[in-house]
């Protein structure tokens, strides 16, 4: 059951920003994550500010320099079906398409997807764990088959967003506004690792709204993709996922950005995979090396060592697929 | 020990009186056996059907139940002062409320607990409840109740539950009853005779029923008369339990539940929530509705227990089985659930020497309840995979091995004959339709995508039988009402019942209305469980229709002045055989017009003595495993089912597809996860607990009925199907995965994790 809160649905961004200065106001994009958190008592709020009536936050359009602007409240369905995204920013369409279920994609927004709360079952359940202000991470010695193999520190979640690794790989930048200022935050610096603060997911302040995402023009030779593996073929988060954004020069990978989902508390940049493939043709040996690089240094927990083989297999498969 | 075709537990066999009109088999059918959409499909799909969850009465209050969050605790104090003062709160009930000390959970003829037992033996036990004006106020109020718990040591692992020093969940230790033994022949001699022996340990995980409609009831008092709308599989069972709990005559308790959103066994037992709603309604003199939140359905309304099964099979070189030794253990939960699985290994195949033992233990977790073929899909997971291992060792096709061991008679006691049993046809015709021979001849895949096929067989042991009473009313305009007590738990009960009346009397389906599942207005039936609704109630429906027909023939004979046995009844008309000019439409029968209706009553006659009825089946599937990611795709499934006569081919197919989907859940995706540190369930929601979606079941599925009426069993010749449909599914997937990978994964569900771990172990060994 939901707590009692007031619900505001302003028609302009300015009004929304003004309404957010109340200390525990929460932003509502599509609400698919927010409402679940409120119902499960992950946190509470007295004021919900909906972005759904604000025209300036919507839409997907090309920018003058060949890039793309995605409004914060563009839905995952819109993104998955957008021809320019599928064509030039493939990883993002791939990612949007595999989120949750059709209903949730119709309702869920891209900004909400980036800012969603963790899916750790202790965090969502009736456990006062460290991230919720308690003392203890229950996952560490508990049921951690879905938890992280990289970057765990006091808290061992995996970041749940499918679009974040794809956006990060393609160099997307969030435009962020508050009542007093506007700033840019690259998606690959949006999320906060637990080593910095285990109780915070993004660098955004509570009164800051993501207004849009800006993608740079794709360089010549760019190919990108995203794939996730899940234990159920729909309506399920990633056990493991990989976003690739590789710039090819003929057969040779000139530059690479590789981000993993299901691996770490934040979208996990795998510089090891990038190093293993940059300057190389994607032959069998390079792919094998990249696959092992993907899990080099991983620190599996008691119940998730299977993710090592999974990431190796996934990365190898996706490199083969993108090589064509 | 001997087993019989059971439709009751303990006591003298139930019965209903004999029928006045003889009911021989149908010579041929036109409606029965065809594909008919459900007669209430429009209501269900359009949302006009009123499920108990939809019931809203004037002045109705909403109840909520406070549950123990701990796996094992003792309630020391309950402070409801704050809750009672909350806005909208009309009543609060706890163990201390007069009249709330109702005994609960039967054991040895007595009771082991109470409605609000201060000794909370699992997460989700009922501690207090509230009735308030709105559902939100009720939830706010239960949160305002302050409970002081003494947390107790807990055990959620069934092996640990029997270890010395394990916390005792009930006085007398954690073993539930005595282990059940099924035994015949000489097991040592059987293995001595064997030329090949296989052994293995197989495990399944705990599965939750998770019906679409949550559990719940609405209760209303009218003086001393109680009416309850309940999402239940059996209104008469709930009536009986409520009458006992509230010390009322049964006639004062009316239970209504014609639409209900699924149960799979979890709604066979009367819920504490139902009794709590009646108590709150009495305290407030207003109707009270309690529907459980989904989390509570996961922790507190039953489950299919996890099982560990050890099996050893011996066979001669030609594949003839010589011995089976089987031991199964599982948890009945904190109360007296049954985790036994030994029936299938005891009966599926012809084997003279058998020893099967079932051990059921208490753990601090929700009580097990029957779930779609209780124990049998788990046993199939073990037995049918072990049979494949045996086939491999013998160098036999798994199909051939099974065909060599079809039981000639019931493999227990005096070896009763089956009323009918077509396991061989299921296997042979199923294999043919599936293309088994070609599929097994295909060379193994080389790359990382590996396809494999698998099959498994199954048998079910409850047949249905008396009592059942059904009334058919034929109106003067030739339309009919059908009145029966059975619940339609989603299987299409109303539709096949109407089809039988249409077949027998010629009334068009659209002109038949079915009243059912209401203890005040419909006739006695047992609960819809055990796949016994069709075999128990369809003969009674037929008998009721025959009784109407019998009376009509009598009236028409008098009116036409011909002997009754000269009349032929067809298409709602009666015609003389000797003088076809003498004919009468049913609507022209004077007596019918004068009486307004003709009422026919039909009873379920007893099952035949000295025989045993067992539906059988075989399912076949093809899977593709990605060895890189552990991903498993079910490419196709075929179920060949001997359930006697097919009444409605459309819902027959649907039962089979639904059973397969549920079996894929058991085999591939579903698993209750209890936190080892606290004993609490971490995936008590529909997202983390993974019921298969349309993308997880077979893209291509087929149903092949072995449509042989079992006339030795009952007059319609129909046997049960709902449970057989899910028995071999998980095992067939297990066998297909083993064939695809060349490694057998003995623990279900086959998640990417288990597949990858098994492949890693395989690489290590190589
Ligand atoms: C059953 C289920 C399955 C799911 N499966 C997946 C999955 O497979 N993959 C996946 O990636 N996601 C999944 N999700 C998460 C799903 O909620 C997101 O995918 C969705 O995109 C969130 O968008 P929303 O607009 O509904 O977010 P909301 O619920 O509105 O917001 C989510 C969070 O972001 C904040 N927020 C929203 N908009 C902004 C903004 N403009 N600026 C700043 N903060 C903002 C909110 O305050 C809130 O904390 C699933 C969710 C459910 C319920
Ligand atoms: S992983 Fe993080 S969110 Fe989960 S229990 Fe541990 S601290 Fe809490």
């Amino acid at each position: 059951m939901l707590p009692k809160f007031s619900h505001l649905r302003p028609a302009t961004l300015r009004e929304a920003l003004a309404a957010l200065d109340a200390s525990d106001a929460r932003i509502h994009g599509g609400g698919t994550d927010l409402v679940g958190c409120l119902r499960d008592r992950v946190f509470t709020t007295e004021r919900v500010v909906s972005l759904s009536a604000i025209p300036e936050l919507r839409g997907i359009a090309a920018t003058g320099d060949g890039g793309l602007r995605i409004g914060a409240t563009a839905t995952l369905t819109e993104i998955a079906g957008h021809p320019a995204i599928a064509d030039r920013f493939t990883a993002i369409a791939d990612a949007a398409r595999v989120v949750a279920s059709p209903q949730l994609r119709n309702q869920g927004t891209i900004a909400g997807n980036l800012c969603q709360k963790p899916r750790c079952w202790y965090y969502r359940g009736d456990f006062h764990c460290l991230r919720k202000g308690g003392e203890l991470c229950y996952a560490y010695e508990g049921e951690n088959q879905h938890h992280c193999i990289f970057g765990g520190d006091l808290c061992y979640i995996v970041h749940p967003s499918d679009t974040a690794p794809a956006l990060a790989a393609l160099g997307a930048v969030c435009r962020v506004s508050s009542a007093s200022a506007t700033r840019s935050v690259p998606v690959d610096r949006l999320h906060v690792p637990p080593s910095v603060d285990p109780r915070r997911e993004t660098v955004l302040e509570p009164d800051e709204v993501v207004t849009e995402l800006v993608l740079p023009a794709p360089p010549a030779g760019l190919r990108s993709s995203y794939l996730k593996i899940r234990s159920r073929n729909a309506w399920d988060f990633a056990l493991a996922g990989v976003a690739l954004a590789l710039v090819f020069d003929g057969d040779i990978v000139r530059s690479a950005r590789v981000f993993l989902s299901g691996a770490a508390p934040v979208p996990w940049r795998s510089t090891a995979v990038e190093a293993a493939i940059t300057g190389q043709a994607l032959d069998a040996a390079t792919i094998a090396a990249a696959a092992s690089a993907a899990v080099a240094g991983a620190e599996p927990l008691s119940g998730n060592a299977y993710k090592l083989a999974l990431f190796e297999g996934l990365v190898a498969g996706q490199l083969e697929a993108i090589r064509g | 020990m001997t087993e019989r075709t059971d439709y009751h537990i303990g006591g003298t066999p139930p019965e209903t009186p004999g029928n006045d009109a003889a009911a021989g088999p149908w010579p041929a059918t036109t409606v029965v056996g065809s594909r008919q959409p459900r007669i209430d499909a429009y209501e269900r799909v359009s949302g006009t059907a009123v499920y108990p969850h939809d019931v809203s009465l004037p002045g109705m209050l909403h109840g909520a139940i406070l549950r123990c969050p701990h796996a094992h605790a003792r309630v020391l104090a309950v402070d409801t002062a704050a809750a009672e003062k909350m806005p909208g709160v009309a009543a609060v009930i706890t163990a201390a409320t007069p009249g709330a000390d109702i005994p609960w959970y039967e054991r040895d003829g007595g009771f082991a607990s109470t409605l609000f037992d201060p000794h909370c033996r699992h997460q989700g036990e009922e501690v207090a409840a509230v009735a308030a004006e709105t559902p939100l106020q009720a939830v706010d109020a239960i949160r305002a109740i302050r409970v002081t718990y003494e947390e107790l040591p807990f055990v959620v692992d069934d092996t640990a539950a029997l270890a010395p020093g394990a916390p005792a969940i009930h006085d007398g230790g954690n073993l539930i009853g005595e282990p059940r033994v099924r035994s015949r022949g000489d097991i040592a001699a059987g293995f001595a005779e064997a030329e090949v022996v296989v052994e293995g340990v197989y495990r399944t995980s705990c599965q939750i029923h998770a019906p679409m409609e949550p559990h719940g009831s609405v209760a209303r008092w009218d003086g001393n008369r109680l009416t309850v709308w309940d999402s239940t599989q059996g209104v008469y069972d709930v009536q009986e339990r409520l009458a006992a709990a509230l010390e009322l005559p049964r006639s004062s308790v009316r239970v209504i539940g014609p639409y209900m959103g699924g149960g799979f066994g979890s709604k066979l037992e009367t819920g504490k929530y139902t009794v709590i709603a009646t108590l709150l309604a009495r305290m407030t003199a207003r109707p009270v509705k309690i529907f459980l939140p989904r989390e509570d359905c996961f922790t507190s309304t039953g489950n299919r227990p996890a099982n560990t099964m050890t099996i050893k099979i011996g066979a001669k070189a030609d594949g003839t089985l010589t011995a089976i030794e089987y031991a199964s253990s599982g948890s009945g939960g904190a109360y007296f659930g049954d985790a036994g699985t030994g029936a299938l290994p005891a009966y599926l195949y012809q084997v003279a020497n058998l020893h099967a033992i079932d051990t059921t233990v208490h753990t601090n977790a929700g009580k097990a309840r029957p779930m779609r073929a209780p124990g049998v899909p788990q046993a199939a997971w073990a037995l049918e995979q072990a049979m494949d291992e045996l086939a491999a060792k013998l160098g036999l096709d798994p199909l051939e091995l099974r065909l060599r061991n079809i039981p000639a008679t019931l493999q227990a006691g005096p070896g009763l004959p089956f009323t009918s049993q077509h396991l061989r046809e299921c296997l042979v015709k199923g294999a043919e339709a599936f293309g088994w021979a070609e599929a097994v001849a295909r060379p193994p895949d080389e790359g990382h995508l590996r396809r494999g096929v698998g099959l498994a067989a199954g048998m079910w042991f409850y047949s249905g039988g008396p009592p059942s009473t059904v009334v058919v009313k034929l109106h003067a305009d030739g339309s009919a009402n059908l009145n029966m007590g059975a619940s339609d738990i989603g299987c299409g009960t109303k539709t096949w019942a109407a089809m039988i009346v249409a077949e027998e009397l010629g009334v068009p389906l659209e002109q038949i209305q079915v009243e059912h599942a209401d203890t005040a207005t419909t006739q006695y039936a047992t609960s819809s469980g055990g796949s016994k609704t069709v075999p128990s109630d369809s003969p009674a429906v037929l008998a009721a229709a025959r009784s109407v027909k019998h009376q009509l023939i009598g009236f028409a004979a008098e009116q036409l002045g011909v002997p009754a046995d000269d009349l032929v009844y067809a298409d709602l008309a009666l015609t003389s055989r000797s003088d076809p000019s003498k004919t009468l439409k049913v609507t022209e029968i004077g007596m019918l017009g004068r009486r307004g209706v003709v009422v026919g009553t039909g009873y379920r006659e007893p099952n035949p003595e000295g025989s045993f009825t067992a539906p059988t089946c075989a399912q076949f599937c093809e899977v593709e495993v990605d060895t890189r990611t552990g991903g498993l795709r079910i490419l196709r499934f075929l179920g060949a089912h001997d359930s006697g006569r097919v009444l409605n081919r459309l819902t027959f197919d649907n039962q089979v597809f639904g059973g397969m989907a549920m079996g894929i859940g058991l085999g591939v995706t579903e698993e209750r996860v209890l936190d080892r540190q606290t004993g609490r369930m971490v995936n008590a929601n529909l997202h983390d607990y993974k019921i298969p979606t349309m993308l997880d079941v077979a893209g291509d599925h087929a149903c092949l009925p072995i449509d042989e009426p079992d006339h030795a069993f009952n007059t319609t010749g129909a046997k049960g199907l709902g449970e057989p449909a899910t028995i071999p599914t998980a095992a067939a997937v297990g066998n297909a995965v083993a064939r695809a990978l060349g490694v057998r994964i003995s623990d279900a569900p086959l998640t990417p994790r288990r597949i990858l771990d098994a492949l890693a172990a395989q690489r290590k060994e190589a």
Side-chain angles (χ1 to χ4, degrees), chain A residues 120 122-123 129-131 137-139 147 155-157:
Chain A
C120 167
Y122 294 103
Y123 177 82
C129 76
L130 182 90
R131 184 171 286 275
C137 170
Y138 286 88
H147 287 73
C155 168
Y156 298 85
I157 58 161

Side-chain angles (χ1 to χ4, degrees), chain A residues 1 4 39 41 121-122 126-127 138 142-143 145 231-233 235-237 303 306 309-310 317 320, chain B residues 136 139-140 143 295 628-629 674-678 680 682 686-687 690-691 695-696 753 756-757:
Chain A
M1 294 284 174
K4 292 186 187 69
R39 185 198 176 278
R41 293 189 282 168
W121 46 26
Y122 294 103
D126 216 355
F127 293 85
Y138 286 88
E143 311 310 315
Q145 55 263 48
S231 52
R232 179 165 68 180
N233 291 314
W235 192 24
D236 207 357
F237 288 91
Y306 73 99
L310 179 48
E320 282 172 14
Chain B
L136 288 167
V139 170
D140 284 347
R143 285 187 189 151
E295 291 87 340
R628 280 176 162 170
T629 62
L674 299 178
D675 174 42
R676 65 197 72 184
Q677 306 156 104
T678 60
R680 284 147 66 178
V682 291
L686 285 174
H687 185 261
K690 302 202 187 296
I691 292 171
L695 296 182
D696 299 293
R753 174 192 188 186
L756 289 168
D757 284 347

